[in-house]
């Protein structure tokens, strides 16, 4: 492996600015790394070789000409294939969009281009971001770089795996119920769901509009802050976009890295832990609480009793909004058109055949559930009640944040599970998001960062930090402090401990047993 | 267990415009019943005194000035269509012939 690919985005940016390395060299190193390992990992659905190198070349020329550039100019990035891009296909992991090219860029993509960041390609995901394992991609699953027989989390398993496997220093994800944070936890990377409205969703294919949020995936807290500041801020093209400026996150991360958390109150959420949580995940979590104390933080216990209803409310709200958002995939304006095998060729029958052929099983399941929850006679009992639970969860957060500045919990109840283990049981799969979902329902920001390896399986666990809406900077301060303490204890990054990644030096790619996972 | 039978799922699939095979209908009926049972708990704590929240932040309409902006060209708008003719989306018949 080229050592350039192991650099953090910030370190690479500094080398680019100092003229020690060119963006073309850095981008080519990432493309080489993708060619080296992505056959095993399958983090990417599309690799954007020529355009990425052309952008890198352009940045090198501007730098040589003495132009003032963004700090991350020339630093390559991967983009989850739920976010539309001109010049590259966007599939949302679904056959219904196979081969489709968006005629416009998402706002976040425009911002990446304006900052001069070469886009390496589009990363794999559960179809329309529905899933917790990236097994539901129509193009085959992504594998966890820590163990190829395990899931990389979902739905943003591609983005997390790409960053964990050193295929990209940074990536964008989308988080509707934990799809940035949970993959971060099981791959040993940092994932942030910003405050709802803090990053424009214009050009993110809508799953559940009141829950979706684009956010950064990285290997360090500072890198996430740098990317968050690039993509954040007001966008008049998104009616839910906050007008607040997106600043102070990088400063907060740098301050946090100094390791002093004096005066910070951290609230341990009583309901997110204990039964159903893997022992090794819990043990690492308790150790981190001790580290927080040693940095001067005060630890208090907070109770959020309505969180036990969050999962149920989420699995009514999400399908309801998804059934509406996905109605546009009708075989008329874009994407697949499938003709019925027999009978008259009417639009209604073409639509039925197109959606049957284009959507996978999980998408169909959730659309049908959403149509049911919104049906006359059931609306109040299901969708209406779920919206009330949302109020109660917001009240729980308000009460908790009156006692603590930042709330903490394990990000996911377990480490990465094996492929197929939960495919046959949707409810078991849904339980994986139990700790991440409340933040989406309330719109508050959340971060997952590496929290050490669970003893029983040697796999990464994650710790989740939650802050009040618009207080994303608190996550970066507390996250960077914990990261600094962890790295001092571990002697480096958690990814240094990954057996496959350590063996994957240039010309020595581990040829591992690759399970037959089906898919394309 | 909640009563969601195969006919219910067939009706929902028609509403959702998704053709489903017999096997899919059977499987989905079982799965949906289990899921719907598990989400029933939401009505337990959500009494009439609790207001519903549809969105994490208060929303208001966003209006732009009524001037021509940067819009997709006709060619761009049609670029991903499965079928087009004379600058328009070409759609199968809306009405069935009698």
């Amino acid at each position: 492996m080229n050592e350039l690919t192991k650099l953090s985005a910030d370190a690479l940016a500094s080398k680019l600015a100092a003229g020690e390395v060119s963006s073309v060299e850095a981008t080519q190193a990432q493309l080489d790394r993708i060619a080296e390992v992505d056959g095993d990992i399958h983090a990417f659905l599309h690799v954007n070789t020529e355009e990425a190198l052309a952008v890198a070349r352009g940045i090198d020329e501007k730098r040589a000409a003495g132009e003032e550039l963004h700090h991350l100019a020339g630093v390559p990035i991967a983009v989850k294939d739920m976010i539309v891009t001109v010049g590259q296909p966007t599939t949302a992991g679904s056959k219904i969009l196979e081969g489709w090219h968006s005629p416009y860029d998402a706002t976040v993509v425009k911002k990446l281009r304006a900052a001069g960041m070469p886009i390496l390609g589009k990363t794999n995901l559960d179809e329309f971001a529905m899933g917790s394992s990236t097994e539901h991609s129509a193009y085959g699953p992504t594998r966890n770089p820590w163990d190829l027989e395990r899931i990389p989390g979902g739905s943003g398993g591609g983005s997390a795996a790409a960053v964990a496997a050193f295929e990209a220093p940074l990536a964008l994800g989308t988080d509707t119920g934990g799809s940035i944070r949970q993959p971060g936890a099981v791959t040993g990377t940092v994932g942030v769901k910003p405050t709802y409205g803090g990053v424009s969703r214009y050009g993110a294919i809508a799953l559940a509009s009141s829950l979706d949020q684009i956010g950064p995936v990285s290997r360090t807290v500072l890198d996430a802050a740098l990317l968050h500041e690039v993509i954040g801020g007001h966008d008049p093209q998104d009616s839910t976009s906050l007008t607040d400026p997106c600043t102070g996150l990088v400063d907060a991360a740098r301050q946090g890295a100094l390791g002093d958390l004096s005066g910070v109150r951290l609230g341990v959420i009583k309901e997110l832990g204990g039964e159903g949580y893997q022992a090794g995940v819990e043990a690492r979590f308790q150790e981190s609480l001790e580290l927080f104390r040693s940095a001067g933080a005060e630890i208090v216990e907070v109770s959020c009793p309505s969180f036990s209803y969050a999962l149920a409310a989420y699995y009514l709200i999400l399908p309801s909004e998804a059934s509406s958002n996905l109605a546009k995939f009708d075989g008329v304006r874009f994407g697949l058109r499938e003709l019925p095998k027999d009978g008259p060729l009417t639009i209604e029958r073409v639509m039925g055949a197109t959606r049957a052929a284009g959507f996978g099983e999980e998408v169909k399941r959730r659309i049908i559930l959403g149509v049911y929850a919104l049906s006359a006679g059931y609306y109040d009992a299901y969708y209406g009640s779920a919206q009330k639970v949302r109020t109660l969860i917001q009240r729980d957060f308000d009460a908790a944040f009156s006692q603590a500045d930042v709330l903490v919990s394990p990000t996911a109840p377990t480490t990465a599970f094996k492929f197929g283990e939960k495919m046959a049981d949707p409810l078991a799969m849904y339980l994986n998001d139990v700790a991440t979902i409340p933040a989406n329902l309330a719109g508050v920001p959340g971060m997952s960062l590496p929290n050490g390896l669970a003893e029983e399986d040697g796999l990464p666990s994650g710790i989740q930090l939650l802050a009040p809406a618009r207080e994303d900077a608190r996550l970066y301060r507390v996250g960077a402090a914990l990261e600094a303490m962890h790295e001092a204890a571990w002697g480096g990054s958690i990814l240094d401990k990954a057996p496959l990644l350590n063996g994957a030096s240039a010309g020595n790619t581990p040829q591992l047993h690759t399970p037959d996972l089906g898919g394309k | 267990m909640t009563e969601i039978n195969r006919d219910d799922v067939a009706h929902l699939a028609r509403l959702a415009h998704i053709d489903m095979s017999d096997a899919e209908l059977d499987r989905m009926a079982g799965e949906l019943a289990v899921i719907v049972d598990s989400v029933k708990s939401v009505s337990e704590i959500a009494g009439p005194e609790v207001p519903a929240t549809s969105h994490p932040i208060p929303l208001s309409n966003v209006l732009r000035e009524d001037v021509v902006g940067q819009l997709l060209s006709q060619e761009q708008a049609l670029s991903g269509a499965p079928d087009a003719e004379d600058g328009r989306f070409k759609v199968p018949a809306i009405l069935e012939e009698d």
Side-chain angles (χ1 to χ4, degrees):
Chain A
M1 178 176 12
N2 187 322
E3 287 302 307
L4 283 177
T5 63
K6 292 197 80 172
L7 294 175
S8 70
D10 182 53
L12 176 59
S14 299
K15 280 187 179 292
L16 288 166
E20 292 172 27
V21 64
S22 71
S23 177
V24 166
E25 286 172 302
T27 304
Q28 187 61 57
Q30 296 297 166
L31 293 166
D32 291 346
R33 176 68 178 167
I34 293 168
E36 185 186 15
V37 299
D38 208 53
D40 282 332
I41 305 291
H42 193 217
F44 283 85
L45 292 178
H46 173 77
V47 182
N48 188 36
T49 306
E50 287 178 21
E51 190 199 284
L53 287 171
V55 170
R57 207 171 297 121
I59 289 298
D60 288 339
E61 286 166 5
K62 286 182 180 179
R63 187 165 271 129
E67 278 190 40
E68 196 171 323
L69 299 171
H70 188 280
H71 180 57
L72 290 182
V75 175
I77 185 167
V79 174
K80 186 178 182 181
D81 204 24
M82 191 74 167
I83 299 171
V84 302
T85 45
V86 170
Q88 297 182 66
T90 301
T91 68
S94 180
K95 282 197 190 314
I96 212 161
L97 280 176
E98 188 165 6
W100 179 69
H101 282 67
S102 169
Y104 69 99
D105 272 331
T107 296
V108 290
V109 172
K110 280 187 196 163
K111 290 187 173 195
L112 299 181
R113 295 193 200 280
M117 300 177 71
I119 298 173
L120 294 164
K122 305 296 286 289
T123 55
N124 200 8
L125 68 156
D126 285 301
E127 184 177 359
F128 286 108
M130 297 185 193
S132 306
S133 65
T134 316
E135 290 168 289
H136 294 290
S137 168
Y139 303 99
T142 298
R143 300 181 179 90
N144 192 320
W146 285 76
D147 177 348
L148 298 181
E149 297 195 9
R150 290 180 189 266
I151 61 106
S155 65
S159 287
V163 171
F166 301 103
E167 296 178 76
L170 293 169
L172 288 185
T174 63
D175 189 314
T176 304
S179 292
I180 294 175
R181 290 162 286 159
Q182 182 257 7
V186 301
T187 60
T189 55
V190 177
V192 178
K193 182 200 93 68
T195 293
Y196 183 81
V199 173
S200 169
R201 286 181 297 108
Y202 180 74
I205 294 173
L207 168 56
S209 312
S210 75
L211 305 165
D212 299 338
Q213 190 56 63
I214 294 175
V217 180
S218 63
R219 290 193 290 269
T220 72
V221 172
L222 175 60
D223 282 0
L226 288 163
L227 179 56
H228 192 154
E229 287 197 2
V230 171
I231 59 175
H234 180 60
D235 178 15
Q237 287 186 288
D238 175 356
S239 65
T240 58
S241 173
L242 299 175
T243 53
D244 315 30
C246 186
T247 54
L249 308 178
V250 173
D251 288 345
R254 291 195 194 282
Q255 187 199 348
L258 300 176
D260 180 14
L261 292 178
S262 303
V264 175
R265 287 172 306 164
L266 298 178
V268 178
I269 304 170
K270 193 173 109 186
E271 287 77 9
L272 298 182
E275 197 185 339
Y277 283 72
Q278 191 177 319
V281 171
E282 277 274 358
R284 295 287 92 84
F285 178 68
Q286 294 300 328
E287 285 169 12
S288 286
L289 295 183
E290 285 307 313
L291 288 177
F292 281 131
R293 278 194 191 95
S294 71
E298 181 191 349
I299 309 286
V300 296
E301 186 179 81
V302 298
S303 179
C304 297
S306 304
F307 279 20
S308 54
Y309 295 87
L311 196 68
Y314 176 82
Y315 278 101
L316 289 167
I317 292 169
L318 180 140
S320 299
E321 294 187 11
S323 68
S324 170
N325 279 325
L326 270 55
K328 62 178 163 283
F329 296 97
D330 56 6
V332 174
R333 286 149 298 170
F334 46 79
L336 182 75
R337 176 179 290 178
E338 187 80 8
L339 303 181
K341 289 192 174 58
D342 46 38
L345 207 61
T346 63
I347 182 65
E348 196 170 2
R349 301 193 69 251
V350 169
M351 214 184 291
T354 297
R355 289 160 66 82
F359 289 145
E361 192 179 334
E362 181 63 19
V363 174
K364 289 178 188 171
R365 185 186 289 133
R366 295 201 197 183
I367 289 176
I368 298 293
L369 181 59
V371 172
Y372 176 78
L374 293 175
S375 297
Y378 296 112
Y379 179 93
D380 286 340
Y382 292 120
Y383 187 69
S385 296
Q387 301 286 36
K388 292 181 174 190
V389 172
R390 193 170 197 161
T391 306
L392 297 174
I393 285 168
Q394 286 188 333
R395 289 177 182 171
D396 276 1
F397 269 120
D398 289 344
F401 285 128
S402 71
Q403 301 167 64
D405 303 303
V406 169
L407 306 181
V408 291
S409 76
T411 309
T414 67
T415 55
F417 50 88
K418 288 193 170 172
F419 284 107
E421 212 171 279
K422 300 187 180 181
M423 277 291 268
D425 184 354
L427 284 179
M429 178 81 83
Y430 298 168
L431 269 172
N432 224 268
D433 301 328
V434 69
T436 49
I437 278 172
N440 299 79
L441 290 170
V444 303
M447 169 188 287
S448 175
L449 67 152
N451 201 40
L453 307 180
E455 263 170 25
E456 56 270 41
D457 54 21
L459 292 167
S461 66
I463 183 167
Q464 175 176 241
L465 312 177
L466 301 167
R470 295 180 160 94
E471 297 291 348
D472 304 47
R474 293 186 195 177
L475 303 178
Y476 287 102
R477 181 179 168 203
V478 174
L482 183 62
E483 179 183 66
M485 291 186 282
H486 273 155
E487 295 203 345
W490 301 335
S493 160
I494 194 171
L495 293 172
D496 295 337
K497 298 175 183 293
L500 304 192
L501 296 169
N502 283 332
S505 56
N508 186 29
T509 307
Q511 294 302 308
L512 296 140
H513 167 63
T514 304
D516 179 12
L517 302 164
K520 197 176 158 188
Chain B
M1 183 179 280
T2 303
E3 289 290 315
I4 294 187
N5 58 38
R6 199 174 169 284
D7 289 345
D8 296 329
V9 179
H11 174 63
L12 295 167
R14 271 195 302 277
L15 292 175
H17 294 296
I18 301 173
D19 291 350
M20 282 196 182
S21 66
D22 290 345
E24 274 184 302
L25 292 174
D26 287 337
R27 190 173 61 241
M28 195 89 54
E31 288 169 353
L32 280 187
V34 173
I35 294 171
V36 166
D37 261 354
S38 80
V39 299
K40 261 188 170 172
S41 61
V42 296
S43 52
E44 291 172 10
I45 59 162
E49 73 289 355
V50 180
T53 298
S54 67
H55 226 263
I57 57 170
L59 293 177
S60 58
N61 273 342
V62 176
L63 304 173
R64 67 167 172 82
E65 294 298 312
D66 188 17
V67 292
V68 177
Q70 277 192 318
L71 302 170
L72 293 182
S73 67
Q74 189 180 44
E75 192 184 340
Q76 285 173 318
L78 293 170
S79 62
D83 202 2
E85 191 174 294
D86 297 334
R88 298 168 194 172
F89 296 104
K90 192 173 177 188
V91 184
I94 302 293
L95 300 174
E96 234 173 291
E97 282 182 38
D98 287 326

